Amino acid sequence: MTMRISTFFYTLRQGAKNIWKNKMFSLASIATMSACIFLFGVFYSVVVNFQNVVQEVESGVAVTVFFVDGTSQEQIDEIGEQISKRAEVSKKVFISAEQAWAEFQKIYFEGAEDMAEGFTNDNPLANSAHYEVYMNDISMQEALVTYLSSLEGVKEVRSSDIAANTLTDFNRLIGYVSAGIILILLCVAIFLISNTVMIGIAVRREEIAIMKLIGATDYFVRAPFIVEGILIGIIGSALPLTVLYFMYRRIIFYVAEKFRWLSSMLEFLPVDKVFATLVPVGLILGVGIGFLGSSLTIRKHLRV
Amino acid sequence: MIKLENVSKAYAAGIPALNDVSLHIETGEFVFVVGDSGSGKSTLIKLLLKELEPTSGSIVINGQRLGNIRHRDIPRFRRNLGVVFQDFRLLKDRNVYENVAFAQRVIGMSVKSMRRKVPAVLSMVGLAAKYKSYPRQISGGEQQRVAIARALVNEPKILLADEPTGNLDANNAWDIMKLLEEINQRGTTVLVVTHNLEIVKTMKKRVITMKKGVVVSDERMGDDNED
């Protein structure tokens, strides 16, 4: 449907007027929407930062693959190639028997290197060549271990199930809890916007009746209320996102200053990286809730 | 122009508001519909505006059978009808000009069209000088003139007036009727629902009398009111 520019601006003005005429309810809607988007932003920032930490930890969790005694280097290379083909594998490192022994000596014979001399020509870890396999996604560990165990020439696959399961479970829990809280808040926001628009419709009932008699289309009658909902959504998401932006910056600055000892364990994602996703998602969410809240109400209360 | 054939309208489980009404109003006619309250006059206006659907019978306006008009085409249909009410129904937060321009706005006319048509129609109803006034700042008669200007600005073929003088004193009522007659003389079909029998008698137009939902008389009282 085509729309005149003047009609477009008229609709925008009417939408803004609705908000103004109905200040208290609009304010309540904007406040709830702001709270909703603010909490969403907080959860999002916590979750992405936590995921970042988890990823750091996960990237250090490796599966170790040992070979059947007497496996040739060629076979080992072939196994290596098969491992690399797996999507969940981010990196694999080959540790030869010599490297393993050297590492062992470094750890266990430190300061008493002569004790290891006796093994010079007889590597006690002769069959300990192995791959250390690192993953993109630790939840895939079980499947990977099953696959690796099935490969020919593989004697044993060692993995840390506890580390993998704990991290995956914790990650999932945070996801569920935040999704649950956000969902409840979204429902409250939709309900409040719907209420605001309903009051707006009641206030303008006479005008709507006149419009209908003069020959206004459904679209013309409804558009200002949709605009009202969307404007509430935009204001209600832009405000908390701005506050969050400055808060986040302050917090990472503060933590970096006051809790230096934490920096080895916890590194915050840079503000721009977090907000590059958070801003568009927050705005779309706000506009979406505004649109949904108003269009649901119009459908129900503005039969034209 | 307006044709009702055996039209009945019954509200839920009640006595029919209209009972087997047949009417034929030609293009360019000026017609009064009179009757006591409860006679079915307002139901008739609502049926003509397609605010209500008849229980039975058919209504044809400007060649369009109302029963065949789809919901989404109702706005376009209504643009051929101008409507005036007893309580004026002006937007109180807008001035005279904006109230009239609103009718143009609603049907998507350009600002240029508004600037051309609104002053012309306001001048026709004698309110050109008061275009900046708000409804509360003008008299009842003037408010009704604004409502008439709003009804006319989109150049409808038919003007429906539901008790247009009901809230006015005798002088203002008479002025409004004169204005409606002038509009009729310019070619617009005018249908006035009223219970002001004094005006009806003086105007000497076609008068349809209704009682309890039935047309009890349909008389042509002459074309002139030059007395």
Side-chain angles (χ1 to χ4, degrees), chain B residues 3-162:
Chain B
K3 202 171 172 187
L4 279 81
E5 278 177 357
N6 311 107
V7 173
S8 294
K9 174 67 190 174
Y11 296 103
I15 308 154
L18 279 192
N19 197 357
D20 201 29
V21 170
S22 294
L23 280 177
H24 194 188
I25 297 169
E26 291 292 342
T27 305
E29 267 195 280
F30 190 119
V31 179
F32 282 114
V33 178
V34 297
D36 300 330
S37 41
S39 60
K41 303 186 308 267
S42 296
T43 301
L44 176 68
I45 292 270
K46 283 182 178 162
L47 286 169
L48 295 179
L49 283 168
K50 205 170 159 64
E51 273 193 89
L52 293 175
E53 296 294 332
T55 314
S56 62
S58 80
I59 304 172
V60 178
I61 295 180
N62 294 331
Q64 272 187 296
R65 193 173 290 275
L66 267 53
N68 293 345
I69 298 174
R70 286 173 297 182
H71 177 78
R72 63 189 167 106
D73 293 327
I74 294 176
R76 213 160 292 278
F77 158 74
R78 285 187 184 151
R79 290 173 192 180
N80 290 316
L81 306 173
V83 210
V84 178
F85 297 95
Q86 179 174 359
D87 55 358
F88 324 131
R89 297 200 191 170
L90 298 179
L91 300 172
K92 293 173 189 73
D93 61 341
R94 285 171 225 199
N95 65 28
V96 166
Y97 180 93
E98 287 162 346
N99 263 287
V100 178
F102 183 63
Q104 287 251 295
R105 175 86 69 190
V106 154
I107 66 164
M109 299 306 284
S110 65
V111 174
K112 204 171 145 192
S113 161
M114 289 174 214
R115 285 193 189 134
R116 191 164 48 83
K117 287 190 172 170
V118 177
V121 76
L122 279 177
S123 138
M124 190 193 125
V125 300
L127 281 177
K130 295 202 170 180
Y131 73 100
K132 277 186 175 171
S133 305
Y134 282 83
R136 64 177 182 280
Q137 297 168 321
I138 57 178
S139 71
E142 287 169 329
Q143 288 188 49
Q144 193 59 292
R145 283 169 185 271
V146 178
I148 292 172
R150 184 181 65 193
L152 289 180
V153 73
N154 293 336
E155 297 168 8
K157 291 178 184 148
I158 301 171
L159 181 67
L160 304 175
D162 190 1

Side-chain angles (χ1 to χ4, degrees), chain A residues 158-228:
Chain A
R158 280 191 204 152
S159 62
S160 170
D161 287 344
I162 295 168
N165 291 340
T166 311
L167 287 176
T168 310
D169 289 351
F170 197 55
N171 224 350
R172 212 171 278 163
L173 182 72
I174 285 216
Y176 286 151
V177 169
S178 44
I181 294 174
I182 289 162
L183 201 71
I184 293 169
L185 284 168
L186 289 186
C187 292
V188 174
I190 290 174
F191 172 75
L192 270 176
I193 287 183
S194 158
N195 241 353
T196 307
V197 169
M198 208 161 76
I199 303 267
I201 291 172
V203 168
R204 300 184 76 157
R205 195 157 290 284
E206 200 184 349
E207 186 178 339
I208 291 166
I210 295 168
M211 278 191 205
K212 281 155 68 179
L213 288 174
I214 291 173
T217 55
D218 291 6
Y219 177 73
F220 186 89
V221 175
R222 288 170 170 178
F225 296 104
I226 299 280
V227 167
E228 181 184 358

Side-chain angles (χ1 to χ4, degrees), chain A residues 46-231:
Chain A
V46 170
V47 167
V48 287
N49 273 290
F50 181 75
Q51 270 176 349
N52 186 44
V53 172
V54 168
Q55 256 168 18
E56 288 287 314
V57 176
E58 279 181 358
S59 63
V61 174
V63 172
T64 317
V65 182
F66 293 97
F67 313 107
V68 175
D69 297 356
T71 307
S72 69
Q73 189 58 43
E74 265 177 22
Q75 280 174 301
I76 290 174
D77 290 344
E78 201 178 304
I79 292 170
E81 267 171 42
Q82 279 171 301
I83 292 172
S84 299
K85 277 184 202 158
R86 301 285 292 185
E88 66 269 36
V89 171
S90 65
K91 186 174 80 168
K92 67 162 205 307
V93 180
F94 177 68
I95 311 284
S96 66
E98 291 71 32
Q99 282 169 314
W101 175 229
E103 188 71 13
F104 188 86
Q105 286 181 69
K106 223 192 304 176
I107 298 168
Y108 295 101
F109 293 94
E110 202 184 352
E113 282 82 1
D114 50 330
M115 281 177 75
E117 292 291 311
F119 297 108
T120 313
N121 295 318
D122 181 19
N123 183 353
L125 299 180
N127 287 317
S128 64
H130 60 270
Y131 278 118
E132 279 172 6
V133 183
Y134 297 87
M135 288 157 285
N136 305 316
D137 178 0
I138 204 152
S139 65
M140 300 296 287
Q141 178 173 287
E142 207 181 322
L144 182 66
V145 169
T146 313
Y147 171 75
L148 295 174
S149 309
S150 72
L151 291 176
E152 201 180 327
V154 171
K155 183 171 77 180
E156 190 188 353
V157 180
R158 280 191 204 152
S159 62
S160 170
D161 287 344
I162 295 168
N165 291 340
T166 311
L167 287 176
T168 310
D169 289 351
F170 197 55
N171 224 350
R172 212 171 278 163
L173 182 72
I174 285 216
Y176 286 151
V177 169
S178 44
I181 294 174
I182 289 162
L183 201 71
I184 293 169
L185 284 168
L186 289 186
C187 292
V188 174
I190 290 174
F191 172 75
L192 270 176
I193 287 183
S194 158
N195 241 353
T196 307
V197 169
M198 208 161 76
I199 303 267
I201 291 172
V203 168
R204 300 184 76 157
R205 195 157 290 284
E206 200 184 349
E207 186 178 339
I208 291 166
I210 295 168
M211 278 191 205
K212 281 155 68 179
L213 288 174
I214 291 173
T217 55
D218 291 6
Y219 177 73
F220 186 89
V221 175
R222 288 170 170 178
F225 296 104
I226 299 280
V227 167
E228 181 184 358
I230 290 176
L231 283 179

